[in-house]
Amino acid sequence: MENGIYHTTLIHSSLLAAVCALVFLLFLDKTPFHDKGEPREALVVRDIVLEGRWLLPLRAGEHIASKPPLFHWFAAGASILRGEMNEATIRFPSALFATLGVFLCYFFGRSLYDPKTGLWAALILATTALYYAAGIEARVDMTLVFFVTLSLVLFFSIYRGFLKHRIWWYVFFITAGVSVTAKGPVSIVLCGLVIAAFLRMQKRWDVFWTMLCHPGWLLGMLLCVGWYAAALYLGGDEFFNLQFVKENFARYFVHGEGGTGHQKPFYYFVPYLFTLGMPWTLFLPGVIWSYFSDQFRRREDLLFLGLWAATVFVFFSLSAGKRPPYILPLYPPLALLIAVWLRDQTFGTFWKSSYFKFVAVFASLTGAVLGAGLAIYLIRLDVVSLLLSLGVTMQENVAAEISNLLSALRSIGWLVPVSFVAAMVIWFSIARSLYQCRIDSAVTQMVLVTVLAIAFTRSLILPNLAKMESYKEFMQSATAIAAGGQSLMLFPRAIDPSSIIFYGKSKVEILPDDVAVLQTKIMQSKAYFIVEEDAWKSYFADFSKIPIVDRSRGTGADGDARLLLVRGMEPDLE
């Protein structure tokens, strides 16, 4: 019996390791930084590695980071161990915690139910759109998700008696305390709300008082408050105003003027709950319907998972500031709920089979859309012109993104039609399996097609798309040109400087945002200057003698900021 359990665990763990390698780990360095968020976090990591500011790192050596440093500590450690800082080492913490979260979901699921349910839940989580996207981004969101998940899994495992030794309460409180250094006190708030709601509904006041009187909470509080106290001592009012007032209080409570941006209506997350959970949220309406049937909801384990998902959703829906990644912590319990629903054949069998047939229609439509996409690719149809001729209105950046996507696909070659055909065949096969209620086959194929799509996108499409926005190639060229000892100066108007500074490898000096200073420097210096193209045309249209050395292919995160590398004039040219 034990040999059988060990053999099953080994097979499942090997499968999950392979999936996580393909989804999270294999392509970390394929895509250059091309947005604003990732290079900003990278500059915080660089400050830790180069300046040794571990306790309160600064962004570009000047500005206090907007988030606590747990993510940055792991990224700095990866960079030090590898001996260099690059996209892979900066993104590594997200990939690491995403992988650990998948395995945590597996072992929690098999403890609650059985190995196959745990496996399905883990595979569902790994191939959920928002989860795998966050798993290779240099942002703090996945770090938060892992520690919130670990804290709640530890609590329920202790509650159910899976973990019986008294040391586990200490581990729980330590984990909860450490989680605050991931993204602030929101982790404690989420865990506290879920646990309080669950114990209230179960009327387990004994567990509540056990937690309240346990000495472990003092240890967790010490870890939580300790970093904030030290950071407040070092950062003073600037740290308090940024991380306490702006990033926590104002972001959650302040609407309108005085808020922190990203202000959206209460229902903002409803469509994102479905779209960012694809392809598995195709089953979500069925899960929700079953959850509110008496026999399904009364199960203690499912009550806890449902409260977990619902608390995250409602909590962030009430927030003034909203961004799609905020609801990421609800996908681990949602993956478990979907897996249980797919595996459990006792709840509404007739309507459930009817619902599978309904989902089969969507799977067939997906296959048909892929077929249409293949046809568009093969006949080289100008999609943007076609849509505009049909009266479809679109923003300029949307049209540019569609054109860039088609250009990226055409640069890949024969792999595109092969991949489209394979995906189309699999989706039609998924539709057939769902129609016949062969759920094992459908789940296996959905995992397969999603993993293949992720690998194809991460290895081929995204790198080509990112090059159209990233400044990496331009900065590599600029630093090589200025390698002879000349200064490399950045005029920051109309530019987010984060990726420029990161790829500049400490060679970039940022000038004041003052045109007169730039003009003086260029006319009296032999240095090299980085200037946004439109700004250059506006302020130096009459200076035809000033040599333009290079022009970037990338246009920046917003797609409208191409860079020029300009050589300063010799003094005798004045």
Side-chain angles (χ1 to χ4, degrees), residues 10-24:
L10 181 61
I11 293 175
H12 288 176
S13 297
S14 299
L15 175 60
L16 291 175
V19 168
C20 289
L22 280 170
V23 172
F24 304 121

Side-chain angles (χ1 to χ4, degrees), residues 264-560:
K264 307 294 181 182
F266 175 80
Y267 54 84
Y268 174 76
F269 288 120
V270 173
Y272 284 109
L273 174 65
F274 288 89
T275 57
L276 298 180
M278 293 296 283
W280 304 104
T281 41
L282 288 172
F283 303 110
L284 186 57
V287 173
I288 294 173
W289 178 271
S290 295
Y291 190 83
F292 287 99
S293 68
D294 290 340
Q295 53 184 342
F296 197 74
R297 185 180 56 196
R298 288 175 182 175
R299 285 171 45 171
E300 190 176 55
D301 50 319
L302 298 177
L303 174 64
F304 179 74
L305 295 174
L307 285 172
W308 179 351
T311 299
V312 173
F313 186 81
V314 173
F315 176 81
F316 286 114
S317 293
L318 293 172
S319 173
K322 298 178 180 70
R323 290 180 57 245
Y326 288 2
I327 60 172
L328 188 57
L330 68 76
Y331 285 104
L334 206 58
L336 284 158
L337 287 169
I338 293 171
V340 172
W341 186 79
L342 290 171
R343 289 273 293 144
D344 203 322
Q345 301 300 316
T346 62
F347 301 117
T349 303
F350 174 75
W351 84 264
K352 196 171 184 180
S353 63
S354 301
Y355 186 77
F356 286 143
K357 290 179 173 61
F358 176 72
V359 176
V361 175
F362 283 90
S364 299
L365 289 174
T366 303
V369 169
L370 288 168
L374 176 61
I376 291 172
Y377 175 82
L378 291 175
I379 65 176
R380 304 182 72 85
L381 182 67
D382 188 341
V383 178
V384 174
S385 298
L386 175 62
L387 292 174
L388 292 175
S389 67
L390 294 174
V392 177
T393 57
M394 62 180 73
Q395 295 180 351
E396 185 177 344
N397 64 323
V398 174
E401 288 175 2
I402 294 174
S403 299
N404 289 342
L405 175 59
L406 292 173
S407 176
L409 287 172
R410 287 167 186 147
S411 69
I412 296 170
W414 62 270
L415 277 175
V416 174
V418 170
S419 300
F420 267 73
V421 170
M424 182 175 61
V425 169
I426 295 174
W427 273 106
F428 281 128
S429 180
I430 291 169
R432 182 181 179 185
S433 297
L434 287 170
Y435 190 82
Q436 296 174 347
C437 294
R438 293 187 290 113
I439 306 306
D440 287 62
S441 174
V443 169
T444 301
Q445 291 177 91
M446 289 177 72
V447 170
L448 174 63
V449 74
T450 307
V451 170
L452 292 177
I454 293 168
F456 178 73
T457 303
R458 298 295 190 195
S459 62
L460 297 173
I461 296 179
L462 279 183
N464 282 287
L465 286 175
K467 287 178 182 178
M468 299 176 186
E469 297 180 347
S470 176
Y471 295 136
K472 180 178 181 177
E473 291 180 352
F474 174 80
M475 289 307 301
Q476 288 175 333
S477 173
T479 53
I481 291 171
Q486 295 94 337
S487 298
L488 190 59
M489 300 185 181
L490 170 66
F491 181 62
R493 182 166 298 184
I495 301 172
D496 184 283
S498 302
S499 65
I500 298 172
I501 297 171
F502 179 77
Y503 287 124
K505 298 186 182 299
S506 304
K507 290 181 65 67
V508 179
E509 176 187 343
I510 301 180
L511 296 173
D513 188 3
D514 186 326
V515 176
V517 172
L518 175 64
Q519 291 175 335
T520 301
K521 288 277 187 181
I522 288 180
M523 301 303 296
Q524 299 180 357
S525 170
K526 298 179 181 180
Y528 289 94
F529 298 85
I530 299 170
V531 186
E532 195 271 329
E533 187 174 42
D534 290 339
W536 176 259
K537 292 177 181 178
S538 298
Y539 307 127
F540 288 90
D542 299 329
F543 291 79
S544 58
K545 292 183 179 180
I546 301 177
I548 298 176
V549 180
D550 198 5
R551 182 174 182 264
S552 71
R553 175 187 177 188
T555 54
D558 296 325
D560 59 357

Side-chain angles (χ1 to χ4, degrees), residues 149-165:
T149 303
L150 180 58
S151 298
L152 291 172
V153 167
L154 283 170
F155 162 77
F156 197 73
S157 297
I158 297 169
Y159 173 86
R160 284 287 294 266
F162 301 147
L163 303 175
K164 298 180 179 180
H165 197 284

